């Protein structure tokens, strides 16, 4: 490691500097992210992320669509936690309408978001293994994720971009087989989780590549606005489900996972333990889904009163905030999304500069970036 | 000497952890029945999809070539992308002899559809539903624009 002052000097022009472009089509960036890297030998001295390759102006498109329609757009932001994105948007509309949604809808929403979190973390684990050179984790992770996607397919109608939330509750009631299938999944996943640790966590190569690599201090975590497992790996408590419970998370018993080491391995462990917590939440709720309506009655055309509304949820990657300005018509006047990946990416320079180019892949993998969420 | 012992110890520890992972890989190699892969194009006949699966929008007709669409444009308004367009014609009602509006063509642009299901839940008469077809690829873009009501079809009696 070289110290910070030296890094500042190296960002200036230097005779032996080597500029390397990683991406936009690079497998380890998991999407169309372009990183301009300045190298000296093998040491990374400067990183500049270039965005805009998948910009679709979702915020502007939301302003052109009604309060029922804009929700489906947001599942295309962070597609791996599509349900939580939709939930945040449905919540902000419900806040504006001062609508209390039925208990049954709340519980099903939580169940679905925890299943989405599990699916997202499984995909992250699978791709992390592949990024660091292990092929089998990819297949093992996708095997368990497939079971969850089949559950989504049966209940919501689609596998990834589910569009299951509507203002006032959820789109359909759960499928009759839902509880049976979730129980079967939990049984299988609890049996398979030790396999995850057997394959990757205990591996010497994996530990050498992640332990002590990519240190992020708690102060930097806060100043960059990181959230989710990235921040919790540095010991910063920031779980929205604990700090500002929404949709009935206050009634569920679970622990906020915290690690204090701040390196890649800590971020890895946070996500692995978060999967166990998600299993815990699902187990508490799956047999206690209250009876009743799954959707509150709403008008055909929704109109929000004048004002500003904000809602926040904990997605699989961190805090998603939805800010909505209404001018009293049937369309939003302004939408703004505070996406977790954008803030997490801004910490990449702090994490990777001073390390080796080979560690960049591990650093990127442990940030768990989804590029469409950064660009929107 | 101590360094040498540590060095050799690390080698054996690494080999042990590698074997730990490879053991699982080999287990699945010799137990192919526990692998979940679906052989997709070959298993087309036995492929089962959930009943709510979103393939494409279709309009079911009964045996008298009648559908349930009144042309209220609820689906057209609910669609976020302008996928659906309803064209009208005037028809003479057989019993009263008055002129009445009815749908001429229910145009559906499959290429613009995002399969969000909002049109289906907006429909007050359940005239449209999602089919289970998912193999949409085609050589000609024009074939993605579909007219959902069959030629000569009319509104089912009793549906307002």
């Amino acid at each position: 490691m070289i110290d910070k002052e030296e890094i500042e000097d190296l960002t200036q022009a230097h005779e032996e500097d080597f500029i390397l472009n990683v991406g936009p089509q690079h497998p380890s960036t998991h999407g169309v992210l372009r990183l301009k890297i300045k190298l000296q030998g093998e040491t990374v001295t400067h990183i500049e992320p270039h965005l805009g390759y998948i910009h679709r102006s979702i915020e502007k498109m939301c302003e052109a669509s009604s309060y029922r329609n804009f929700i489906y757009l947001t599942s295309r932001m962070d597609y791996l936690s599509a349900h939580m994105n939709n939930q945040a948007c449905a919540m902000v509309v419900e806040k504006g309408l001062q609508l209390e949604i039925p208990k049954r809808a709340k519980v099903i929403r939580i169940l679905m978001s925890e299943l989405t979190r599990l699916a997202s973390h499984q995909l992250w684990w699978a791709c992390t293994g592949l990024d660091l050179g292990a092929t089998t984790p990819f297949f093992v992770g996708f095997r368990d994720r497939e079971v969850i996607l089949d559950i989504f397919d049966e209940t919501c109608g689609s596998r990834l971009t589910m569009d299951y939330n509507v203002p006032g509750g959820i789109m359909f009631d759960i499928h009759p087989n839902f509880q049976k299938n979730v129980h079967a999944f939990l049984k299988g996943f609890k049996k398979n989780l030790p396999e995850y640790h057997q394959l990757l966590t205990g591996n010497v190569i994996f530990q050498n590549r992640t332990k002590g690599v990519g240190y992020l201090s708690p102060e930097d975590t806060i100043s960059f606005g990181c959230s989710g497992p990235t921040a919790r790996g540095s010991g910063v408590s920031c779980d929205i489900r604990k700090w500002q419970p929404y949709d009935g998370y206050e009634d569920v018993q679970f622990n906020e996972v915290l690690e204090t080491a701040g390196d890649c391995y800590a971020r890895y462990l946070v996500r692995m333990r978060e999967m166990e917590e998600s299993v815990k939440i699902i187990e508490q709720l799956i047999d206690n889904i209250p009876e009743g309506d799954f959707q509150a009655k709403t008008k055909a055309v929704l109109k929000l009163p004048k004002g500003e509304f904000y809602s926040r949820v904990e997605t699989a990657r961190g805090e998603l905030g939805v800010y909505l300005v209404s001018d009293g018509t049937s369309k939003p006047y302004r939408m703004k999304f505070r996406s977790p990946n954008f803030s997490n990416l801004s910490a990449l320079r702090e994490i990777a500069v001073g390390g080796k180019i080979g560690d960049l892949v591990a650093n990127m993998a442990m940030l768990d970036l989804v590029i469409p969420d950064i660009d929107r | 000497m101590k360094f040498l012992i540590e060095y050799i110890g690390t080698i054996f520890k690494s080999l042990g952890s590698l074997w730990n992972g490879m053991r699982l890989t080999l287990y699945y190699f010799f137990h192919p029945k526990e692998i979940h892969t679906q052989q997709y194009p070959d298993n087309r006949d036995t492929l089962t999809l959930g009943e709510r699966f979103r393939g494409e929008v279709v309009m079911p007709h009964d045996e008298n070539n009648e559908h349930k669409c009144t042309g209220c444009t609820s689906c057209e308004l609910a669609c976020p992308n302008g996928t659906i367009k309803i064209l009208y014609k005037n028809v003479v009602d057989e019993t009263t002899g008055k002129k009445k509006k009815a749908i001429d063509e229910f145009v559906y642009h499959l290429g613009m559809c995002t399969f969000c299901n909002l049109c289906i839940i907006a429909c007050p008469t359940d005239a449209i539903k999602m089919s289970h077809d998912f193999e949409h690829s085609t050589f000609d873009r024009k074939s993605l624009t579909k007219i959902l009501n069959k030629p000569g079809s009319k509104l089912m009696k009793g549906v307002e």
Side-chain angles (χ1 to χ4, degrees):
Chain A
M1 292 284 265
I2 47 178
D3 64 18
K4 288 271 164 65
E5 282 175 22
E6 209 176 330
I7 294 164
E8 292 301 320
D9 284 340
L10 289 172
T11 54
Q12 310 299 318
H14 198 283
E15 208 174 292
E16 290 168 1
D17 278 346
F18 182 73
I19 307 284
L20 182 73
N21 276 299
V22 177
Q25 264 86 29
H26 191 274
S28 83
T29 58
H30 295 262
V32 280
L33 176 69
R34 178 174 157 222
L35 296 173
K36 212 170 173 186
I37 303 170
K38 200 182 261 186
L39 294 170
Q40 198 169 45
E42 271 192 63
T43 310
V44 179
T45 57
H46 193 65
I47 292 186
E48 213 179 300
H50 282 247
L51 305 176
Y53 287 93
I54 193 162
H55 185 70
R56 294 147 298 167
S57 70
I58 284 183
E59 284 174 9
K60 202 70 194 167
M61 280 162 80
C62 287
E63 289 164 22
S65 43
S66 72
Y67 286 117
R68 274 184 205 286
N69 288 356
F70 84 92
I71 292 178
Y72 99 99
L73 281 169
T74 55
S75 49
R76 273 82 184 166
M77 295 196 312
D78 181 356
Y79 44 80
L80 290 178
S81 34
H83 184 87
M84 285 92 112
N85 293 354
N86 293 345
Q87 191 179 0
C89 293
M91 272 164 57
V92 81
V93 176
E94 282 151 15
K95 235 180 214 175
L97 294 169
Q98 292 184 328
L99 197 71
E100 184 63 32
I101 70 163
K103 263 225 139 111
R104 185 178 176 85
K106 282 184 180 178
V107 169
I108 296 172
R109 270 186 186 178
I110 295 184
L111 277 171
M112 283 293 174
S113 34
E114 289 310 316
L115 283 172
T116 316
R117 197 184 311 279
L118 274 175
S120 168
H121 282 348
Q122 280 162 0
L123 185 129
W124 157 81
W125 182 81
C127 292
T128 298
L130 200 64
D131 283 349
L132 298 179
T135 320
T136 317
F138 192 72
F139 298 104
V140 174
F142 268 73
R143 175 193 62 189
D144 293 329
R145 182 171 174 264
E146 195 62 31
V147 185
I148 299 182
L149 294 191
D150 283 342
I151 293 171
F152 289 161
D153 192 8
E154 203 167 41
T155 295
C156 315
S158 52
R159 289 154 53 88
L160 194 67
T161 50
M162 292 131 69
D163 305 317
Y164 193 45
N165 286 298
V166 290
I170 47 176
M171 199 181 256
F172 329 101
D173 206 353
I174 50 170
H175 194 270
N177 290 341
F178 178 76
Q179 277 155 312
K180 194 184 80 189
N181 288 347
V182 172
H183 274 301
F185 160 73
L186 287 179
K187 203 179 156 206
F189 183 61
K190 272 191 195 160
K191 200 178 111 243
N192 290 344
L193 197 60
E195 275 185 13
Y196 285 40
H197 292 294
Q198 186 190 348
L199 267 175
L200 210 55
T201 315
N203 191 292
V204 166
I205 302 171
F206 177 77
Q207 290 200 354
N208 283 348
R209 287 198 66 178
T210 49
K211 266 188 185 168
V213 170
Y215 176 72
L216 185 66
S217 66
E219 292 80 17
D220 284 334
T221 309
I222 293 166
S223 63
F224 279 110
C226 298
S227 53
T230 312
R232 290 199 281 277
S234 298
V236 178
S237 166
C238 61
D239 199 328
I240 308 293
R241 294 175 291 171
K242 278 276 180 209
W243 285 97
Q244 211 176 67
Y246 55 91
D247 275 357
Y249 268 112
E250 59 269 23
D251 305 331
V252 190
Q253 302 295 320
F254 69 102
N255 302 320
E256 183 179 0
V257 182
L258 280 177
E259 289 280 334
T260 46
D263 57 355
C264 282
Y265 192 64
R267 273 166 240 147
Y268 172 86
L269 285 182
V270 166
R271 289 199 171 89
M272 295 306 278
R273 280 170 53 201
E274 226 169 59
M275 286 205 245
E276 291 164 21
E277 296 299 322
S278 289
V279 168
K280 235 193 253 174
I281 294 174
I282 295 170
E283 273 181 340
Q284 283 172 43
L285 292 175
I286 187 67
D287 288 324
N288 305 319
I289 303 176
E291 295 294 322
D293 291 338
F294 58 88
Q295 206 175 344
K297 284 222 158 47
T298 47
K299 285 179 187 162
V301 178
L302 300 178
K303 273 186 185 170
L304 262 65
K306 257 187 195 174
E308 302 171 9
F309 307 101
Y310 187 74
S311 75
R312 56 212 296 224
V313 297
E314 179 81 17
T315 72
R317 273 154 206 81
E319 177 193 342
L320 174 81
V322 180
Y323 174 67
L324 189 150
V325 183
S326 165
D327 58 352
T329 57
S330 61
K331 284 171 184 174
Y333 179 74
R334 173 82 170 94
M335 291 289 300
K336 167 88 181 90
F337 297 108
R338 180 247 182 257
S339 68
N341 283 304
F342 188 82
S343 311
N344 289 352
L345 175 73
S346 63
L348 179 67
R349 193 179 294 168
E350 202 63 33
I351 291 171
V353 166
K356 297 276 183 269
I357 177 83
D359 291 336
L360 182 73
V361 178
N363 289 327
M364 293 278 296
M366 295 305 166
L367 282 182
D368 191 14
L369 298 173
V370 169
I371 312 303
D373 193 32
I374 299 171
D375 259 346
R376 297 196 290 285
Chain B
M1 192 63 199
K2 199 183 166 196
F3 167 76
L4 199 69
I5 292 169
E6 261 180 27
Y7 184 75
I8 294 170
T10 317
I11 290 175
F12 278 106
K13 224 172 97 189
S14 311
L15 284 176
S17 86
L18 278 182
W19 166 243
N20 210 359
M22 288 306 283
R23 204 177 59 202
L24 195 69
T25 313
L26 283 171
Y27 175 80
Y28 284 113
F29 183 76
F30 289 114
H31 294 77
K33 273 187 185 165
E34 292 185 27
I35 300 170
H36 288 234
T37 320
Q38 289 189 15
Q39 303 296 331
Y40 158 60
D42 303 329
N43 72 347
R44 261 202 198 120
D45 304 327
T46 56
L47 196 66
T48 49
L49 296 164
E51 56 185 291
R52 292 172 185 171
F53 181 79
R54 300 174 193 167
E56 64 175 298
V57 177
V58 288
M59 188 183 281
H61 287 63
D62 67 356
E63 62 273 12
N64 302 329
N65 203 12
E66 288 175 337
H67 57 76
K68 286 188 198 164
C69 180
T70 56
C72 67
T73 67
S74 287
C75 50
E76 197 179 322
L77 292 171
C79 183
N81 312 309
T83 308
I84 295 168
K85 183 82 193 143
I86 296 176
L87 304 174
Y88 293 100
K89 64 180 177 190
N90 283 328
V91 288
V92 181
D93 199 331
E94 285 166 10
T95 49
T96 55
K98 280 182 188 169
K99 272 191 179 175
K100 214 176 144 191
K101 245 181 166 183
I103 65 162
D104 184 19
E105 283 180 343
F106 189 106
V107 186
Y108 170 57
H109 301 278
L110 178 59
M112 295 202 286
C113 187
T114 51
F115 313 106
C116 60
N117 216 36
L118 289 177
C119 54
I120 313 288
I121 57 169
C123 184
T125 56
D126 291 336
I128 46 176
K129 64 168 196 167
M130 284 281 184
S131 80
H132 284 188
D133 288 339
F134 61 93
E135 290 163 328
H136 298 310
S137 59
T138 170
F139 284 104
D140 189 6
R141 193 189 300 182
K142 279 176 196 154
S143 63
L144 291 176
T145 301
K146 298 180 177 178
I147 293 161
L148 295 189
N149 54 333
K150 287 180 188 163
S153 63
K154 57 183 180 181
L155 182 64
M156 206 177 281
K157 263 181 195 154
V159 178
E160 284 296 326

